[in-house]
Amino acid sequence: MTAMQHDPAYNFAYLDEQTKRMIRRALLKALAIPGYQVPFASREMPMPYGWGTGGVQVTAACLTPEDRLKVIDQGADDTTNAVSIRKFFERTAGVETTEHTVQASVIQTRHRIPEAPLTEGQILVYQVPIPEPLRFLEPRETETRKMHALEEYGLIYVKLYEDIAHNGAISTAYAYPVKVEGRYVMDPSPIPKFDNPKLESAAIQLFGAGREQRIYAIPPYTQVVSLDFEDHPFEPSKADHDCDLCGCGTSYLDEVITDDAGGRMFVCSDTDFCAARQAEGHRGRLSGEDAA
Amino acid sequence: MTPLLQVRDLTKRYGARLGCGDVSFDLYPGEVMGIVGESGSGKSTLLNCLAGHLAPDEGQVIFDTRAEGPVDTLRMSEPARRMLGRTDWAFVHQNARDGLRMGVSAGANVGERLMAVGARHYGDIREQAVDWLGRVEIAEDRVDDRPRAFSGGMQQRLQIARNLVTGPRLVFMDEPTGGLDVSVQARLLDLLRGLVREMGLSAIIVTHDLAVVRLLADRLMVMKSGAVVETGLTDQVLDDPQHGYTQLLVSSVLQV
């Protein structure tokens, strides 16, 4: 397992050393104040906003030549976004990459937390589109900052109230607001609320929002509470099915439309988790068929 | 009796221009005070200074808090002042849109203040929201509609419900009936008068409409060019105006 050589035209992991130091300072501050959004001087990256420019900068600042990187998009290792970013770091950093959660030391993710439990020493980097949980309730950034500073979080419950008033239950299914260490309310990036309990983790979790120029973090073993009402408690939810490929009944599922006659299948969104279970001999409803 | 609000020498300048100057008065519990004057006379500046929306240059605004007795709100810490703004104080804007969240339902608008002071039980919040909508004559089946779908008068009543739900002791009103047609104005005034009497509220009402103060206010303060030119009981000032400007104001009211 010799490390590959990175493209010598680039500095290691694309960003120059000064930029990485600046980001690391922001990361340290973010870890020191769990859930607090630290401003940082986000750079132009060679990819469009929305592709994970924040996550890529955080990953670049964290990577060492000895790291092994995994990149997932919606849980999958083989989607455009994941493949592109993995190739980007293979070329600019020359680090090893993997698709196995347990083998990775740095995992950059978009919209999911891997099913396999994360361990101490691992770093999970999230790509964040909108870091401000109060954004759509209070458009003034000066005001939301003040609300965070003064811990005035009544407004975030207005959203949950609206959900119940219109839908009978808290219908927010992703980017479900959480309170970190009893202090800051945080947007956990658009992960499904199924993943919210996994935010209390042994791994370091870093959140990078490139366009919005914010970094925030959850240190290992930090208390993360999903907000709710006393009479409408938080419930992590998932599709009420088993995986059609590996038969797992506890993982988060994607629904895949298979034909134009109402045919559909449910598969684990975490491709590594699903493949590992299939390799162990677990079978689902559609295993063996060429369903897709 | 301790005054609920004691204002001493309040001055606010906009650069070289005077917003309002050397305003002093006491407001006692249960008392409604009207501030009248023409546009640009400094009445809105004064109200915003009192409510903590603007920082005055000089003076004191001493509020009789529940916990600590009389405290100068201008020297209070910002969290404490904002807390006061959510609990013991209420502010009714002229434009209901400024005081409401237009993107969320009427129920959430009323519930927001409850949630801001720690209510975390959906059923209770909703019950109180429905109760308050009823008190301002908004039907229960409109509780999940957004304020956009409401008429101007309903929006204004909703704003009042949203402000009074936490049982404030002092209400600031900035032209509460501005921009409403006369029949809606009349109903709103009737409603306000009922609520103020029933809840024993103290209120400071800024308006240029003398009919509004005649109906609602116990005492009147007339402002001109940033200064208070006349104060007194409402009926006394309106029936026997002493200052030239007040005389002009009273005689300018159109008679139907």
Side-chain angles (χ1 to χ4, degrees):
Chain A
M1 285 211 184
T2 49
M4 293 170 288
Q5 201 55 46
H6 71 85
D7 188 332
Y10 294 102
N11 188 36
F12 176 74
Y14 186 77
L15 293 175
D16 61 282
E17 294 303 312
Q18 269 320 102
T19 300
K20 286 195 274 185
R21 281 181 64 182
M22 174 271 294
I23 296 173
R24 284 174 198 143
R25 280 197 292 269
L27 286 171
L28 288 176
K29 182 168 180 182
L31 282 163
I33 318 172
Y36 172 71
Q37 298 169 42
V38 183
F40 79 111
S42 177
R43 300 291 193 247
E44 289 284 331
M45 297 302 283
M47 61 189 74
Y49 288 124
W51 279 45
T53 51
V56 165
Q57 289 178 76
V58 171
T59 302
C62 292
L63 275 184
T64 65
E66 294 76 38
D67 270 319
R68 198 180 284 135
L69 179 70
K70 171 183 162 84
V71 185
I72 51 174
D73 171 8
Q74 310 264 9
D77 290 278
D78 53 2
T79 42
T80 318
N81 210 261
V83 170
S84 306
I85 293 173
R86 189 158 57 231
K87 274 196 186 150
F88 174 78
F89 281 116
E90 277 172 359
R91 177 161 172 213
T92 60
V95 292
E96 276 185 66
T97 54
T98 178
E99 297 199 350
H100 300 300
T101 305
V102 286
Q103 291 175 5
S105 56
V106 177
I107 304 171
Q108 181 170 336
T109 178
R110 174 173 177 265
H111 296 194
R112 271 315 303 281
I113 297 175
E115 300 287 352
L118 300 176
T119 54
E120 283 180 31
Q122 286 185 308
I123 299 176
L124 187 60
V125 178
Y126 295 79
Q127 304 170 196
V128 181
I130 294 167
E132 179 51 71
L134 302 162
R135 171 69 50 87
F136 294 109
L137 298 154
E138 174 54 64
R140 287 170 296 175
E141 183 77 13
T142 48
E143 184 68 11
T144 55
R145 272 189 230 174
K146 194 168 275 182
M147 290 160 96
H148 281 295
L150 303 179
E151 223 176 326
E152 290 177 0
Y153 287 133
L155 188 56
I156 195 82
Y157 287 89
V158 170
K159 174 167 169 43
L160 303 180
Y161 172 95
E162 283 289 272
D163 273 359
I164 303 171
H166 291 291
N167 303 307
I170 298 178
S171 57
T172 301
Y174 64 94
Y176 193 102
V178 294
K179 194 168 216 182
V180 181
E181 204 66 10
R183 176 62 180 84
Y184 283 98
V185 166
M186 188 192 93
D187 181 343
S189 87
I191 59 171
K193 65 177 169 183
F194 174 83
D195 282 342
N196 268 21
K198 287 188 262 176
L199 288 165
E200 286 190 1
S201 165
I204 296 174
Q205 298 173 81
L206 307 173
F207 298 77
R211 176 169 38 205
E212 302 271 338
Q213 316 204 321
R214 292 288 182 279
I215 282 173
Y216 50 103
I218 306 178
Y221 307 110
T222 300
Q223 182 201 44
V224 181
V225 179
S226 303
L227 302 177
D228 57 6
F229 283 111
E230 287 158 15
D231 47 347
H232 286 269
F234 169 75
E235 281 173 21
S237 62
K238 66 182 274 286
D240 193 15
H241 291 272
D242 293 342
C243 173
D244 285 333
L245 295 180
C246 76
C248 182
T250 55
S251 68
Y252 191 75
L253 302 174
D254 285 340
E255 185 178 6
V256 183
I257 308 289
T258 53
D259 53 37
D260 59 0
R264 61 193 58 198
M265 64 187 291
F266 289 90
V267 293
C268 294
S269 94
D270 187 337
T271 50
D272 169 50
F273 176 78
C274 197
R277 275 180 58 88
Q278 289 178 64
E280 286 167 16
H282 295 283
R283 288 291 173 264
R285 185 173 64 93
L286 297 174
S287 295
E289 299 172 39
D290 186 18
Chain B
M1 189 161 54
T2 322
L4 188 65
L5 192 72
Q6 303 171 58
V7 180
R8 295 286 172 267
D9 306 323
L10 202 70
T11 302
K12 169 75 184 173
R13 288 188 194 84
Y14 297 107
R17 227 174 305 120
L18 186 70
C20 62
D22 287 330
V23 179
S24 301
F25 65 90
D26 288 344
L27 184 76
Y28 286 88
E31 192 178 28
V32 178
M33 179 146 101
I35 303 176
V36 294
E38 61 191 357
S39 294
S41 61
K43 44 192 201 313
S44 290
T45 298
L46 174 61
L47 193 74
N48 283 317
C49 286
L50 295 177
H53 297 172
L54 280 176
D57 298 315
E58 289 162 35
Q60 291 178 305
V61 178
I62 300 162
F63 180 73
D64 185 19
T65 57
R66 284 181 219 233
E68 295 164 41
V71 178
D72 185 358
T73 59
L74 303 176
R75 270 167 249 288
M76 251 180 179
S77 70
E78 193 177 8
R81 191 164 55 234
R82 284 170 69 108
M83 188 67 185
L84 209 55
R86 292 198 297 270
T87 53
D88 268 357
W89 287 2
F91 197 100
V92 177
H93 294 262
Q94 172 176 12
N95 222 327
R97 285 158 190 275
D98 298 337
L100 292 173
R101 271 183 211 287
M102 300 305 283
V104 300
S105 70
N109 264 294
V110 179
E112 183 186 341
R113 253 173 100 101
L114 294 169
M115 293 184 248
V117 295
R120 295 289 181 265
H121 189 284
Y122 173 80
D124 294 349
I125 294 167
R126 190 166 174 87
E127 200 176 304
Q128 284 208 52
V130 169
D131 175 47
W132 264 98
L133 289 181
R135 287 164 88 166
V136 297
E137 299 166 18
I138 296 175
E140 189 180 340
D141 61 357
R142 302 301 300 271
V143 64
D144 292 332
D145 290 350
R146 294 184 177 183
R148 300 187 202 292
F150 287 7
S151 68
M154 280 173 85
Q155 287 181 0
Q156 196 58 282
R157 295 204 299 272
L158 177 62
Q159 194 195 179
I160 289 164
R162 166 185 161 92
N163 271 291
L164 297 189
V165 66
T166 48
R169 292 189 296 155
L170 176 58
V171 186
F172 301 100
M173 295 190 219
D174 191 1
E175 309 258 10
T177 57
L180 301 176
D181 71 60
V182 281
S183 63
V184 175
Q185 267 192 29
R187 274 180 64 201
L188 189 75
L189 286 174
D190 206 35
L191 176 79
L192 273 176
R193 193 160 57 162
L195 287 171
V196 165
R197 294 282 177 268
E198 181 189 324
M199 297 174 73
L201 294 175
S202 301
I204 297 177
I205 300 175
V206 160
T207 181
H208 52 238
D209 187 341
L210 294 180
V212 170
V213 287
R214 175 79 92 172
L215 271 173
L216 287 176
D218 303 314
R219 268 200 308 148
L220 201 56
M221 217 158 81
V222 183
M223 289 186 77
K224 179 162 184 352
S225 310
V228 176
V229 295
E230 186 164 357
T231 58
L233 297 175
T234 304
D235 292 343
Q236 179 194 331
V237 174
L238 291 182
D239 294 342
D240 183 16
Q242 301 293 314
H243 190 271
Y245 174 70
T246 319
Q247 292 170 354
L248 179 72
L249 199 68
V250 171
S251 61
S252 305
V253 176
L254 291 176
Q255 302 295 327
V256 183

